[in-house]
Amino acid sequence: MDELPLDIISLESGRAIDRAAIEQAGIPGYTLMTLAAQAALRECLAFFPDRRRWQIVCGAGNNAGDGYVLARLARQSGIEVSVRYLSDPAALTGDAAQAYADFAASGAEARVWEGQLDEQAELIVDAILGSGLDRDVGGAFADAINAINAHPAPVVAIDIPSGIHGESGKRLGTAIEAALTVCFVSLKPGLFLADGIAATGRLRFDGLGIPQNCRAQADVVMRRIDEQQLHAALPPRRKDANKGDFGHVIVIGGGRGMPGAVRLCAEAALRTGAGKVSVATWPGHADALLAACPELMVHGVEKAEQLLPLLDSADVIAFGPGLGRSAWSENLYAQVAGQGLPAVWDADALNLLAAQPEGSRAANVGPRIITPHPGEAARLLNLTSRAVQDDRLTSVQSLQREYGGVAVLKGAASLVATANAVPLVCTAGNPGMATAGMGDVLTGVIAALLAQGLPLESAAPMGVLAHALAGDRAARQGERGMLASDLLRELRAVVNGQRDD
């Protein structure tokens, strides 16, 4: 299989690549279908080597054709295969019709779907509906998808889980919940958005050997954040380096009773390589924070004016972790909002920002990265959290347009939007990271990269990726029960380019 490409392109561009492969490169469509089925077979055998009884459910169009070729090849490989169809194979046309004809000529038989799956099946393959679906799934198709999801065997989806919209990722009535999706030709946007994220399971890709010149005019919708760029952005340090070369981050937050967030943020900044990290927090927290992490410079701040000398010595602001909503936090907000330093805003800094009069939200603000989760994004955009999640791509672009700088929309497959550039998506990370404090760590990571000289447009995506990779390293001991502080132990390895073998 190929590595996942960086570019995620529109469905129309994917179809254009198919056409170019056939018409310009001279690759017959049935050859492409066979190559896709061969790739799917390899992945099924690699991920599920001990499962020797398969049921393949075929629908209509070329997705069904892929299923019939896969069934024939799997039988030739010694797999016990049964096939159920939802659309009469006699109605198939083109390459799909040829796929069924070859399947039948091999001596195999497909039977109509009658409402039940093989109870003994050890693997189910979804070859029902492809990426062109644009309406809710109904009738026997919906019944089959629901039955597949209820079956105990793992499911492998061909190209995209049936029922997931190829562009938006929305579930169209019902959708397959795959353990593995084997995608061909191009990555579909819906695999990384909305319901498609969870429905896809593990993702594998095969470009089917289509020449690069057939892909030249592709419409890129999103781009995956490139791990190689992270390593290039953090080269080995010069032997004569000193702490002043790597910037001074000041973390501002930690309102009364909430010291944990600023500690996580500040320690993350240190572990990501900032030369110096100060914390400006509620006075009652200062001694405990200093005792917990003596490498920090901790300042109790009761009045906003006390921030001024601290800001004068800082290079980057991390604003918001544990800030709270109080007269104290509002006074700090008024002081920080007028600063021209590069800054990362998170948590209650964003809630205070959302409460500002429209038209003043981006005024008098220096280079800034905002990092909302869906709830905070909803307040910033005057939407519901559901609306943000239903269209994350539009939401992150709207955040960037309205608030300037760079916007990070956190969550599964975090998105990053910068001005006049293709949005970026992070495909690292795991569900164990859905726990308190993870956002505080991310704020510290991004702030440290800014302090080390990365521009906003690089610090945000590189920080998102480094944070996710640290989370994946921490998940080696299991996702459930992971703490945000577990990432602090892993960040050092990530930013020094150590492989997670």
Side-chain angles (χ1 to χ4, degrees):
M1 296 296 284
D2 301 334
E3 291 186 4
L4 292 185
L6 295 179
D7 289 348
I8 300 164
I9 69 173
S10 68
L11 295 184
E12 182 53 42
S13 284
R15 297 184 190 106
I17 292 170
D18 263 330
R19 290 194 297 271
I22 295 168
E23 297 169 5
Q24 298 173 26
I27 306 173
Y30 190 55
T31 298
L32 293 174
M33 184 173 284
T34 302
L35 290 170
Q38 289 172 344
L41 177 62
R42 287 194 299 271
E43 292 306 302
C44 289
L45 294 176
F47 277 83
F48 307 105
D50 298 327
R51 297 179 183 265
R52 310 297 294 179
R53 181 166 173 159
W54 299 4
Q55 184 149 74
I56 300 178
V57 184
C58 294
N62 282 348
N63 204 245
D66 293 338
Y68 287 120
V69 179
L70 174 59
R72 175 170 57 83
L73 297 178
R75 290 181 73 246
Q76 292 173 359
S77 299
I79 303 296
E80 182 182 353
V81 181
S82 61
V83 177
R84 298 290 180 269
Y85 61 82
L86 292 155
S87 291
D88 186 350
L92 295 173
T93 61
D95 296 326
Q98 184 64 55
Y100 176 73
D102 287 352
F103 166 80
S106 72
E109 180 183 3
R111 295 171 55 189
V112 66
W113 159 261
E114 295 179 332
Q116 291 185 325
L117 296 168
D118 175 8
E119 294 181 357
Q120 303 304 314
E122 299 170 329
L123 185 72
I124 298 178
V125 177
D126 158 33
I128 301 174
L129 297 165
S131 59
L133 184 69
D134 60 1
R135 63 185 184 276
D136 280 1
V137 182
F141 284 77
D143 292 341
I145 288 173
N146 292 334
I148 290 170
N149 288 338
H151 197 283
V155 181
V156 176
I158 301 299
D159 205 30
I160 191 169
S162 292
I164 292 296
H165 191 282
E167 292 280 10
S168 72
K170 291 181 182 178
R171 181 184 292 106
L172 297 174
T174 188
I176 287 291
E177 298 168 6
L180 172 69
T181 297
V182 188
C183 182
F184 314 115
V185 181
S186 62
L187 291 179
K188 284 69 180 171
L191 298 170
F192 306 95
L193 296 170
D195 303 306
I197 298 170
T200 298
R202 297 284 298 273
L203 178 62
R204 300 288 282 168
F205 174 80
D206 197 302
L208 307 186
I210 295 175
Q212 190 59 38
N213 65 298
C214 295
R215 305 173 180 273
Q217 304 302 317
D219 173 26
V220 180
V221 176
M222 292 182 285
R223 185 166 285 124
R224 295 175 55 245
I225 304 173
D226 186 0
E227 188 172 346
Q228 295 305 313
Q229 290 183 359
L230 173 62
H231 300 324
L234 297 171
R237 292 179 167 180
R238 290 172 52 90
K239 290 186 177 181
D240 60 352
N242 66 78
K243 63 184 178 183
D245 296 330
F246 307 117
H248 181 185
V249 174
I250 181 167
V251 180
I252 302 173
R256 189 194 296 267
M258 294 184 288
V262 284
R263 178 183 170 186
L264 286 169
C265 180
E267 289 196 45
L270 285 173
R271 286 297 185 185
T272 307
K276 297 185 290 184
V277 179
S278 295
V279 177
T281 188
W282 180 255
H285 302 154
D287 289 345
L289 286 171
L290 186 59
C293 185
E295 295 87 353
L296 297 173
M297 297 176 286
V298 185
H299 306 271
V301 173
E302 190 167 1
K303 298 181 179 180
E305 303 81 59
Q306 295 173 280
L307 283 177
L308 292 175
L310 303 177
L311 292 168
D312 285 343
S313 66
D315 299 305
V316 174
I317 299 169
F319 183 41
L323 185 66
R325 300 291 297 273
S326 66
W328 177 81
S329 63
E330 291 175 3
N331 288 335
L332 295 188
Y333 178 94
Q335 193 68 257
V336 173
Q339 294 296 319
L341 292 173
V344 187
W345 285 33
D346 186 32
D348 276 316
L350 300 177
N351 293 326
L352 290 168
L353 176 62
Q356 302 306 303
E358 190 171 351
S360 69
R361 295 170 174 178
N364 301 316
V365 173
R368 179 176 64 186
I369 297 169
I370 60 173
T371 62
H373 59 54
E376 293 157 349
R379 288 186 281 278
L380 288 165
L381 295 173
N382 195 28
L383 297 171
T384 64
S385 297
R386 183 68 262 170
V388 169
Q389 289 294 79
D390 281 346
D391 195 350
R392 285 173 58 83
L393 191 57
T394 296
S395 295
V396 73
Q397 293 172 309
S398 297
L399 287 165
Q400 193 284 321
R401 283 194 299 269
E402 183 160 350
Y403 293 96
V406 177
V408 175
L409 181 55
K410 296 184 293 195
S414 291
L415 295 168
V416 182
T418 61
N420 305 314
V422 173
L424 301 172
V425 61
C426 181
T427 52
N430 62 83
M433 299 174 70
T435 187
M438 287 290 176
D440 304 315
V441 173
L442 176 62
T443 297
V445 171
I446 297 174
L449 295 178
L450 285 172
Q452 292 171 81
L454 274 67
L456 262 70
E457 294 78 10
S458 295
M462 295 302 102
V464 168
L465 180 59
H467 178 259
L469 293 173
D472 286 341
R473 292 177 68 97
R476 290 174 298 186
Q477 298 180 52
E479 295 174 355
R480 187 173 285 107
M482 188 191 304
L483 302 180
S485 56
D486 293 335
L487 272 64
L488 300 176
R489 305 183 185 98
E490 307 295 346
L491 281 169
R492 187 178 177 188
V494 170
V495 297
N496 282 286
Q498 295 179 18
R499 294 176 58 88
D500 184 15
D501 296 324

